[in-house]
Amino acid sequence: MKNKVIVSILSIFIGFVLAIQFQTSNGSSQRETRDTWQVRAKLQDEQQKQQLLYKKLDKLEAVYEEYAKQSEQEQMDVLKESIIELKKKAGLLERDGAGVVMTIEGIFIDSPYAQEYPTISPELLNRLINELNAYGATDIAIENERIVNTSPIRYVNGKTYVNNHALPDLPLNIYILTENPQRLIDYMEVSQSMDEFSIEDMSMEFTLKEKITLPAYQGIINFEAVEVNEEIGEK
């Protein structure tokens, strides 16, 4: 009887030890698998960055070779054209083309609780600009204020300021250049911004224009604050 008890205790002990070893081995295996996947993902990311760098280097070498073949006058002309193109992209020059005029007006409801003069908050305006960019806007101006990557939009003394200038009261016009004006309108008519502005007692109306001229940005651009991210577009 005593031997059976001893054998039973030993069997239980051995089973317990084996179970611990199995769990330890299994956990170690899972960690190793997870670590391996993390290393692989990081390696793939680094490989993609390297490939992108090679593509950029190839482009720069091709531009340099083409530039070296040109005469001094041709080099100057190319340089001037490049500067003008960069200024256009940065919003430092007037720009015109087909687009959309968005008019934001207040919805006046016959109610004692209605807001008499609705105003656009910086948060609402920022979300609207983000949606316009997502739906194909290439250049945007709010009244006479050209929107660039560093345009500050903030709330000061009860008013929304864009490029350090207070926005006028409603109605407000937003001028948008885009390659496909009708598609942008179609997207915006069912957008989240449309619902959000409606909640704030404001409406949006869209008008197609064959030609719109946007003013140049009048401020000073802090290039150190500009984040240039070409990887998304080139991947």
Side-chain angles (χ1 to χ4, degrees):
M1 180 68 178
K2 184 179 296 184
N3 291 335
K4 290 182 179 179
V5 172
I6 293 173
V7 170
S8 298
I9 293 174
L10 287 174
S11 298
I12 293 172
F13 178 74
I14 292 171
F16 180 71
V17 171
L18 289 175
I20 292 176
Q21 289 179 343
F22 175 77
Q23 290 179 354
T24 303
S25 176
N26 189 39
S28 176
S29 177
Q30 290 178 350
R31 285 195 299 272
E32 289 177 0
T33 302
R34 185 171 61 250
D35 292 342
T36 300
W37 279 109
Q38 288 176 346
V39 171
R40 287 180 180 176
K42 189 172 183 179
L43 180 60
Q44 289 177 349
D45 184 56
E46 292 299 325
Q47 288 175 339
Q48 289 178 351
K49 290 181 179 179
Q50 191 176 30
Q51 289 176 357
L52 180 64
L53 180 60
Y54 285 150
K55 288 181 181 178
K56 290 182 177 180
L57 287 174
D58 289 340
K59 288 182 180 180
L60 287 174
E61 288 178 357
V63 170
Y64 175 77
E65 290 177 1
E66 186 66 25
Y67 187 76
K69 295 177 183 178
Q70 297 173 342
S71 66
E72 184 175 347
Q73 182 59 46
E74 288 174 332
Q75 291 176 359
M76 291 298 297
D77 292 340
V78 170
L79 183 59
K80 289 178 181 179
E81 289 177 4
S82 299
I83 292 173
I84 291 173
E85 188 62 28
L86 288 173
K87 285 185 175 181
K88 284 182 179 179
K89 290 182 178 180
L92 299 177
L93 298 176
E94 280 189 0
R95 200 160 192 180
D96 56 39
V100 178
V101 176
M102 175 192 296
T103 302
I104 300 176
E105 296 182 301
I107 301 174
F108 301 101
I109 304 173
D110 187 13
S111 168
Y113 303 103
Q115 183 179 354
E116 188 176 357
Y117 294 104
T119 57
I120 305 176
S121 67
E123 295 78 14
L124 201 58
L125 189 56
N126 271 311
R127 288 198 293 269
L128 172 62
I129 292 173
N130 289 336
E131 277 200 311
L132 289 172
N133 288 327
Y135 295 149
T138 58
D139 298 271
I140 300 172
I142 302 175
E143 293 296 349
N144 293 321
E145 297 299 329
R146 181 74 172 270
I147 301 299
V148 297
N149 289 336
T150 57
S151 288
I153 300 176
R154 52 178 176 262
Y155 203 63
V156 180
N157 296 327
K159 278 188 168 292
T160 297
Y161 278 67
V162 176
N163 295 338
N164 299 319
H165 294 92
L167 288 180
D169 295 332
L170 300 181
L172 187 73
N173 288 323
I174 298 178
Y175 303 93
I176 308 149
L177 296 184
T178 175
E179 294 180 358
N180 195 328
Q182 186 58 57
R183 185 176 64 177
L184 184 141
I185 291 176
D186 293 341
Y187 279 127
M188 290 305 300
E189 285 180 341
V190 293
S191 66
Q192 184 176 351
S193 289
M194 177 72 78
D195 295 333
E196 291 176 345
F197 273 76
S198 179
I199 292 173
E200 297 296 328
D201 296 329
M202 287 177 279
S203 66
M204 295 180 184
E205 291 185 2
F206 304 93
T207 305
L208 284 171
K209 294 288 186 180
E210 293 184 0
K211 184 177 180 181
I212 300 175
T213 301
L214 272 60
Y217 178 71
Q218 299 299 322
I220 298 174
I221 295 180
N222 180 11
F223 289 99
E224 293 181 357
V226 178
E227 295 183 0
V228 179
N229 188 356
E230 298 179 352
E231 296 183 7
I232 296 177
E234 296 188 20
K235 285 186 179 178

